[in-house]
Amino acid sequence: MAGSGNLHLREQEKPLLRVEDLVVNFLSAGGETVQAVSGFSIDVLEGETLGLVGESGCGKSTTARAIIQSPKPTAGSIQLDGVELTELDDEEMRRTRPILQMIFQDPISSLNPRRTIRDVVAEPLYVWWEEETGRLAIASWFEKTGNLFQKISSKFSRPARILAPLAWLSLIFWLVSEASDERSLETWLSWLKTPAQFIGFPVLFILAAMAAALSVVGAVWLVLAVILPFGVISGKFGSVTNTVGLTGLFTSLFAVVFLFFRTWSSLGGVAHWLSSGILLLAVGFLAVWSLLACREPSRAGSSALAVLVFMLFAIQVFYIVGLDGNTKLAVFSLSAAVDGILYWLIARRYKLARAQMRQRAEPEVKRVLEAVGMEVEGSLERKPHEFSGGQAQRISIARALILNPKVVICDEPVSALDVSVQAQILNLLEDMKAAYGLTLVFIAHDLAVVKNISDRVAVMYLGKICEVGPPELLYSAPQHPYTRLLIDAIPRPDPEFDQRNAVRIEGELPSPLAPPSGCRFRTRCPNVQAKCSTEEPQMKEVASGHYVACHYPADSELNQ
Amino acid sequence: MIKLKLRKRTREVDETSRTNNSLGLMFWAAVSFLAVLTFCAIFADILPFKNPTQTFKGFNKNGPSGSFLLGNDGVGRDILSRVVYGAQTSLVIAVVGTSIALIIGGSIGLAAGYYRGKVDRLLTIMLNTTLIIPPLILFISLILFLDPAAERRMFILIFTFALLSIAPIGRVVRANTMAWSEREFVLAAQTIGARNGRVMFREILPNVAPSLISYSLIVMATLIIVEGAVAFLGLSVPSPTPTWGDMINKGRPHLDVAPHITLMPALSMFLTVLSLNFIGDKLQEKFESKAAIL
Amino acid sequence: MKFLKRNIGRIVLTGLVLVILFAWFARPPFSWTFGLLILVGAFGALVTDANYAARRIFSLIPVLLIVSFVVFSLMSSLPGDPALTILGAGATAESIAQLNQELGFDQPFFNRYGNWMGDVIVGDLGTSRILREDVADGISRSITPTLQLMAYSLILAVLIAVPAGMYSGYKNGTRQDRIISYTMLGFLAIPNFVLALVLVLFLAVGGVTIFGVDIGFRWLPAARYVPIGAGWSDHLKHMLLPSLSLAMSQAAVFMRLLRSDMIGTLRLPFIDLARSKGLKTGRILFRHALRPSSFTLITVMGLSVGSLIGGALITEYVFTLPGVGSYIFTGIFKRDFVAVQGAVLVISTLFIVVLTFSDLLYLALDPRLKHQSEAA
Amino acid sequence: MAKKFVKAFAVLFAFSLIAAACGGDSDETAIENEPEVVEEEVTQVEEDREQGDATGEDTRDDMTAVHGGRLVYGVEADTSNPFVPYASSCAISCRMILRSVSDALFITGAGGNIVPHLVETIVPSADFKSWTMAIRDGIKFHDGTPLDGAAVAYNLNTCRMSPLTGPALSQISDVTSDGQSVTISYTFPEALGPAALNSSTQCGFMFSPTWLQTIASNPLLTAEQRATAAGNPTELVGVGAFTFKSYTPGNGNSFIATRNADYWRGENGITGEELPYLDEIEFVVSVDIQGRSNGLKGGQFDIIHTSNADEIKKYEGNEDYVLLQANDYGETSMYMLNAAQGTNPYAGALRGDPELAMDPLGMNSTNPMIHLSCRKAAAHSLDTQRLADERGAGIVKPANGPFPPGSMGYLEDTGYPKFDIAMAQTEMEQCKIDSGQDPVTVGVTIGQDPFSAETADLVVSMMDDAFGEDISVVVTPIEQGQLIGLALAGAYHVMGWRNFGGVDPSELWYWWSAYTASPVNPTVPELALNFGRFVDPEMETAMQGVRFNPDPAVRKASAEAVNRLFGKNVWNLWTTWTLWGLISSPRVMDITTFTTPEGTMTAPVVAGKHSVQQIWCQDGNCQG
């Protein structure tokens, strides 16, 4: 029964969310393909609530995660408000996320145990405000410094955040390089031992000891010179490769290895050769990276910055190699000073903006928390584990709502809650839907839960849709044998109805590694026929807006 | 009979889980020992310690006395001040080594555990390559081949120590990150549009940090022992800068007539390592039990 | 075949013990012993999970190549002229040039590396010009005491750690547990060179008096190595103190691991089932709880080889044992880079093989892992 | 003042002209009355030590020697590999091994005279330019090769042609043999003659020429012979009381030799004596003195040697062990200074380059010790009495020159700078001007054992006390075996050292001669036995008086002049006179007692070395 076909999609009505032929496959550890979702299609109109039901393991949650592109689906199309999500790159997708939110099954697990409720709820605001302010800070700084980079693109918050601490380090290292001599370790240790200076700079202490230990303060500068530009570059191109952290890592590793060999190469021999090779590699790596940056037209402004930083870096690197001790130190001090001031200025702008953020977020946080029915007083500074499951789920909903999303996907939001709380949360979601004009995709394994909240219900089995329809039709006249079985399984307070006589689903869900041929439900179907194993049923309309994918639906002649 | 035993056992278990939450007297004793040692080491120049390299004529091999609280060594130096200044060396090397390893190993572990897949495999290989050559062998090869003349000994010491600690720390972080990445709040953070870096550093790192810190303490303890071993072989920071391992080594010829020369540095090394291990253990226990509640 | 599969853990263990016994009595070259050990381990793993084992074994090749390269380039960068070191003080410029040519030092780095690797693959580690012997011979000779020292330490550590860990885990939370745990924590904090000094002072040299009471004994020898051939008891007597000083910190690590795993295992339902069957405590601990608690221990035992090698180096120094640690030490100080190069390569290879091997053994002992690795 | 410096190739040249020329007729070593009580013995030893003539004689009651037993000797270093004399940097441990497997042509007598051993008679020509020796007939090497004149000549020629030992034998122009006789010709009158080839020199020991011809490094072989030579240069084939059994290099390993039943002084030999008594002798390398001492106490060693006075002191009065102390003919501990600078016309004349630069690469130019003021400042700052008391347990005495008390050139006051901080500071001011450094930076290279390192700490602290911020001392510990290499190449500034042991000052000329001072150049090292590389014309003159003048009074005056020159120019920083200790289990007998077949007593211990043929163990069991 679970079958294919897109008959149930409402082409004419321009749905807000449209999923077509969604396929999600995983590779198992054994190298086999798990077909979690195969050819799933659905659409949701604006303001509509879609109920998605099915047994555990049928692919509901996988579908939900595929919709939010985490992970990206194997195939198929997902359109949100006309935008094809599967074709967005990581950065574009990230920018789309505020309008597509999700509420999770386990309320406790979905809240970071180490953060206060205030921060949990306001985090989305922080994320986006920081982008904004960071971008503004840098843009304004560059404007002031000669209009060189007027076209700074909108993607500059991350560098600012990286630069904030690094700027301080720059200054510190500048100081270090100014102050050191050949016996720098002793000098520094004795200097640092003086309490006033020591207490203020624990980090400085560690790094200074390192620097002193290296005996070539400039060498430490090299590490910075490598890491700093990469902070800038990688922040910008994170969306290209989505391996921001990795890049930084590689760079610092390059630097460390290079440093090592450099020290080594002072002893001559093959090490010198190796160090040159590694240096060449590092520089080449950077060069390619910068070229890559220039090729992206939308990021022209930041590319220019990348090139500048790269040049700065290259100059520094080549100076290290070519110069003698004293000149080296002088050059380092100079470039250190320039870098340091540059980064420090950027960071200062950024820091100022950030200080106001929490304050700015407070009314917003209070508003959503009140909206979801939380007691705001006294709960802002508490940690998630101090709340009950129901309260935590409310917080979760508040977090999803604070960005004013259009679509909220609720992945079994009540199945981990007590029955009494379930109703509260369901009611809350209904209220929110009304208040914010939300479009909901509501996932549950229990048909009873979605019955009242949904405008449309889809039943899923083993990665495919069996039946779609308005709840009143679907519940009263289920066409698909699987739907019928699910409805029969709902406990009901009807003394006439003998639960034991109801038809039961027998057997286990088949393995998604090797789904049955033809109709996927045939192995457990009470009405199975020969045709079911050879031919996959297609979606067909049995009533207005009621679609079923079964060769022998309940109303068909054969069943009667 | 057996039933009785069983019940008794259960009660004991309950007791321990209760005591686990308070850190206990021993923990604070260990912390205060380290605090005093660190304080003395940092402010050794200001505090009234004798010059650790000054040899007092006629005091060689003297036992503890009023003016020399822990006695004098083979050439009449004050053991107390040498122990304190030795702590300086040990602590600086261990702390700096661990910090570097923490930064590098931590980022590698975080990235490997968060991104998984190919990134994970690549980084794991990188971690494992640092384990190829057995630590001390690598160490001695490095020292003797890079710098037989002890000019850059401190650099090599720290470099090697960092290199040796990257893999263990990286592994711990990776495993922890993997476990925490399973939590839905990570997905939630991605859903609100946070970048990967933000997710790693703001969401996962604070959760990984406690076990990371307690593990780093244990790594630090190990580094102190390894530094001692290297100094014992005469390959650490050049003399006369006091280090514990060097003091133990130099006390060896006098072991039968003046055991205190060896005993005092050995004891301080023992107590430091013990304290670090103990604190690390207790913190780990505490955080684990807390994590279990969540 | 089914019998084989079911009892593979036991078969492999028996095989290993047999190989080790054979190695000690028949004294074949150590390369053979290693070969045999690896074969037995690989066999066990192959029977259990051929794919995985093959992958692991093949993945050794690049690792070994990396090691050889690292070792070679390290040793090649040593300060000073190797030919001069070899020829000694009386060398003339011509003789140095001639020897350089003879040894191939005038060739480019990669040529030298290639030549060296080619020789190493056929088991020729070169000839040490300073010790004037074949490096492979020298390593074969000196690795025996080291391997014995490591083996005895490992055995001692296990002998101490297993009962202590089991008892402590069983008595979890009681005073006995605390006493044992803290004692072991103490041993963890004693560096092995200090322990060695203390043991020698009290058990070997004698003459230590405190308040007039003689507390020094001369029970055990403090120096020298006696091969097995010269008498088992004498050999063991000479190895006892070094092994003990090396074993204690390992024992502490093992004990703490076993203890925590034991606590975990004892909470599992099947232990309650065993109890409800009325089995005696000892039987429950040894027959039911030990095996599932010992898997981490086995992995860590493999990893501990690294620290054992390092510890052996210091122990050999204190106890004057002519092991591979002394060999490397002498080689390094005499700038005998051929010898050091060979020895470091052998030790690293040994280390990697043991690591891999402990993984494979783990697999052989616990076939469940196969399924886990698939599920993960 | 570090204790265990490896001694260089002490290609020591013996000794007194007259005694040698007369062929050892004097039998002046009447056995003294032995003190009976241990305490008296201790007192006696202390007195001897004060005089500088603690001989290390084994004065225990004579019992009848018995055969059997296996002796394990813990030695301080694995100093030579290979042991073939022409290629060996043979220090004390190596010499002990040579003495077990072979014998020397001559041996030092108890009075410091030279006594023939393998040689029967020795006759010089009238002009002392040619000496003829008759070798004892009937002696065979371990491989059956007879010891004849040709064999001796072959041995001497390998040493002459070797780049290592050749310079020390440079005055020999020719060696010819005929049957059992060997004639050695010299380029100038040599008053000592071949008596120099005694048991103190490695080239005095004879090895089978048949075996030597199989050794590839043999300088006498042709290229073709070398290609096929397959002998092992460590498997010694000598004429000695023990035959080679096995040798494994490295710390903790050993050299084992078994009893030679056909020893020429054994029951099957030409003298019909019973030597040796032991069945087997094993020399175990145990670099660490604590390791050796613990091994002795734990019963793994039966006898150990050490020059660590601190350790020797611990055994004094301990009745569980036999302690023999020796400091006559002893060495001097010092901090050797590298004085290479300027030109060396003496060595230059030999090489045809009168402007021979001593420091062509400028490696030593930063060494402040090339300036007399710096040397004096350093000497003034060292409290040698304190070093002797605290590092030498008070049983060694501070040294003031190369000649210890009892030696020919010994002086109460050599003019060597005394410990005086005020003077030291004055000199330091001058030193700072001379060297142009502030602070003055000195590198000190020492052995890596803990005791030496601790001593160096004390020395550094003394200099700190004297000069404070004016001086910066960098101490580098190096493995013992490496020190000699650095000394030969001149790659050091200041080095802890122990040298100049010898019976007669004339033996020491090449340590101090400008002719043996080669330039500092590690890339092309040349044999510089004058490790300090000082060029001192006055020293050359004074040493000629010692070497070539037969008049004892002139020789003594010349030796004293040498001593004063050392005091004046401060070529080395003296610390203490070296004291050797042999410590053994009481079962080991006749440790140092050795007589020639003719019954002449030999010197018990010469700079730590002694004979091993005569050692026996009570009940033929050394372990008890």
Side-chain angles (χ1 to χ4, degrees), chain B residues 53-61 73-75 77 82 148-149 233-234 238-240 249-250 252-254 256-257, chain D residues 288 290 297 310-311 314 383 386 389-391 448 450-451 453-455 457-458 460-462 464-465 475-478:
Chain B
T53 56
Q54 191 184 349
T55 53
F56 293 90
K57 189 174 177 179
F59 281 94
N60 61 321
K61 299 186 219 168
D73 74 356
V75 289
R77 290 174 292 198
R82 284 181 73 71
L233 294 173
S239 187
N249 186 30
K250 283 177 178 162
R252 218 147 50 93
H254 317 298
D256 42 0
V257 286
Chain D
D288 190 37
Q290 262 53 57
K297 289 173 183 165
D310 201 63
E311 194 67 24
K314 291 177 193 164
D383 185 351
R386 184 174 169 200
D389 289 345
E390 293 191 0
R391 305 311 290 163
Q448 40 125 224
F451 198 84
E454 203 177 39
T455 309
D457 285 354
L458 180 56
V460 172
S461 130
M462 285 177 182
D464 272 352
D465 287 348
V475 178
T476 312
I478 298 280

Side-chain angles (χ1 to χ4, degrees), chain B residues 24 40-41 76 90 110 120 122 125 137 141 151 169 210 221 244 252 254 265 294:
Chain B
C40 290
S90 287
L110 207 56
D120 180 26
L122 194 77
I125 288 173
I137 303 273
S141 315
E151 280 151 17
I169 289 183
W244 291 338
R252 218 147 50 93
H254 317 298
L294 290 175

Side-chain angles (χ1 to χ4, degrees), chain D residues 134-308:
Chain D
I135 312 294
R136 288 181 204 266
D137 201 359
I139 303 177
K140 280 190 168 58
F141 289 104
H142 297 156
D143 61 359
T145 315
L147 175 75
D148 52 14
V152 172
Y154 195 88
N155 269 282
L156 294 182
N157 282 329
T158 56
C159 278
R160 282 178 59 212
M161 295 304 145
S162 153
L164 187 69
T165 52
L169 299 176
S170 58
Q171 69 279 39
I172 296 180
S173 62
D174 195 18
V175 181
T176 55
S177 66
D178 178 23
Q180 288 303 112
S181 85
V182 184
T183 304
I184 304 179
S185 311
Y186 292 89
T187 47
F188 55 85
E190 182 66 42
L192 276 171
L197 302 167
N198 63 31
S199 53
S200 295
T201 71
Q202 62 200 53
C203 284
F205 289 91
M206 293 296 123
F207 293 94
S208 164
T210 324
W211 169 69
L212 284 174
Q213 276 161 10
T214 67
I215 309 298
S217 59
N218 186 339
L220 298 183
L221 296 189
T222 61
E224 300 85 69
Q225 285 172 314
R226 212 164 270 157
T228 56
N232 185 339
T234 62
E235 293 177 4
L236 297 167
V237 180
V239 293
F242 298 94
T243 53
F244 175 87
K245 185 179 171 195
S246 72
Y247 168 68
T248 34
N251 192 18
N253 277 318
S254 59
F255 181 99
I256 303 175
T258 50
R259 184 170 197 270
N260 175 14
D262 296 325
Y263 186 45
W264 62 280
R265 294 183 64 181
E267 55 270 33
N268 303 328
I270 53 172
T271 63
E273 292 167 279
E274 289 184 69
L275 296 176
Y277 296 108
L278 296 170
D279 286 339
E280 191 167 283
I281 187 161
E282 179 176 10
F283 295 95
V284 180
V285 181
S286 177
V287 175
D288 190 37
I289 172 61
Q290 262 53 57
R292 285 208 297 289
S293 188
N294 290 342
L296 178 71
K297 289 173 183 165
Q300 289 85 56
F301 299 139
D302 306 315
I303 178 167
I304 61 173
H305 65 192
T306 180
S307 61
N308 183 328

